Amino acid sequence: LQINHSLITHPSTNPRPTTLSIMVLVAATSAARPFARRLAPQIRRFAAPAGLDNPPAIYCIGLNYKKHAAETGLSEPRFPIYFFKPPTSLCGHGDDIEIPSVCHPEEVDYEVELAVVIGKAAKNVTEAEALDYVSGYAVANDVSARRWQGKKGGGQWCRSKAFDTFCPIGPRLVPASEIADPNDLEITTTLNGEVLQKSSTKDMIFSVQQCIAFMSQGTTLLPGTIILTGTPEGVGFTRKPPVFLKPGDTVTVAVEGIGEVTNKVVAAKE
């Protein structure tokens, strides 16, 4: 790429794009095309159910069940602790959970969660009106690579939970009108036929209303935003001996009145 500096004008005298900026853009675009062609075959699209497949954001609440906090030896938080998962982590009922080698596959855990979907833009809402902004609910599995989440990985919650397929969700978006009280639902995880998590959303430290109200303060929750509300006790890393997901496993997460999501675990093809 050769640049003729005599053709470059100052923005104050010519607000139009400079010859340099156009030349750089063309060169960069041309250089990117071969990379995009090489990358395309490696990208898989997973089908989350309608209404759950294109969220502007996925918020996740950490340490939001009393018994889960107790089993980890951590104090109950004063405020909701939240982090994010990317939309690329989504997959649906029946999709494979693909565990890549980079996430230390020997330490990948399951976490059943009640998922809440925002139906209209919410900002600075009160707890009393929070449920008016909910369009529906679903079941989610906040799959977590514990090595990255813990001290050995630098305590990176987002990194540990962001891998492709690490957010199975479904089986459908259940309208909010069908769930009388989201804070009183049985919630379970079954791994290879054995129930490992069984609790109730009554054990949440922060209710669905409190989570929405807290996160909306000064921050707009756009329609379609998904909120995972935390997991109960019984996760794999706290068990003795620990229980982690491995290729060949079948894991089912379920929430009363909503349904269940079942996925097989496989090693990612790399």
Side-chain angles (χ1 to χ4, degrees):
L1 174 64
Q2 295 182 343
I3 300 172
N4 186 343
H5 292 276
S6 66
L7 298 177
I8 304 174
T9 58
H10 193 277
S12 62
T13 60
N14 187 353
R16 294 177 298 175
T18 65
T19 301
L20 173 61
S21 66
I22 295 173
M23 293 172 68
V24 170
L25 177 61
V26 170
T29 303
S30 300
R33 287 191 186 113
F35 174 75
R37 285 195 293 268
R38 292 195 304 271
L39 181 62
Q42 302 178 34
I43 300 175
R44 284 190 62 192
R45 299 295 297 175
F46 294 89
L52 300 166
D53 54 348
N54 192 29
I58 304 173
Y59 288 78
C60 308
I61 308 297
L63 211 66
N64 194 31
Y65 279 71
K66 298 172 184 176
K67 292 179 182 177
H68 176 52
E71 73 176 351
T72 62
L74 298 173
S75 301
E76 294 181 12
R78 293 177 55 203
F79 308 101
I81 300 171
Y82 66 87
F83 55 94
F84 294 91
K85 292 174 85 84
T88 50
S89 66
L90 290 172
C91 66
H93 172 75
D95 284 329
D96 291 339
I97 296 172
E98 299 184 353
I99 300 181
S101 59
V102 70
C103 75
H104 298 279
E106 70 280 1
E107 295 183 15
V108 175
D109 212 341
Y110 51 84
E111 289 191 2
V112 61
E113 309 213 4
L114 169 67
V116 179
V117 181
I118 298 298
K120 57 184 179 180
K123 183 176 182 180
N124 297 329
V125 304
T126 65
E127 292 180 24
E129 63 184 351
L131 293 185
D132 295 337
Y133 291 82
V134 175
S135 64
Y137 302 93
V139 186
N141 188 348
D142 180 18
V143 181
S144 307
R146 297 300 188 194
R147 179 70 65 94
W148 283 109
Q149 187 178 6
K151 292 181 180 179
K152 293 179 181 179
Q156 301 188 67
W157 285 37
C158 289
R159 171 67 168 164
S160 72
K161 296 163 177 282
F163 298 102
D164 291 355
T165 74
F166 271 33
C167 190
I169 194 168
R172 66 185 180 98
L173 179 60
V174 175
S177 60
E178 295 184 17
I179 304 299
D181 184 1
N183 303 298
D184 187 11
L185 301 172
E186 184 176 88
I187 183 168
T188 62
T189 293
T190 303
L191 180 62
N192 299 327
E194 181 182 359
V195 177
L196 297 182
Q197 288 185 285
K198 186 173 182 180
S199 185
S200 170
T201 55
K202 288 190 297 185
D203 192 49
M204 288 195 295
I205 297 169
F206 303 103
S207 68
V208 171
Q209 294 94 317
Q210 289 173 316
C211 290
I212 293 172
F214 178 83
M215 289 185 292
S216 74
Q217 299 308 302
T219 302
T220 301
L221 306 179
L222 293 172
T225 293
I226 296 173
I227 302 172
L228 306 190
T229 55
T231 197
E233 77 279 8
V235 295
F237 84 95
T238 64
R239 292 179 170 272
K240 295 181 175 51
V243 176
F244 292 116
L245 300 177
K246 59 185 184 301
D249 285 348
T250 298
V251 57
T252 297
V253 290
V255 176
E256 178 187 359
I258 298 175
E260 61 184 36
V261 173
T262 298
N263 304 92
K264 290 185 178 180
V265 180
V266 302
K269 295 179 181 180
E270 300 174 336

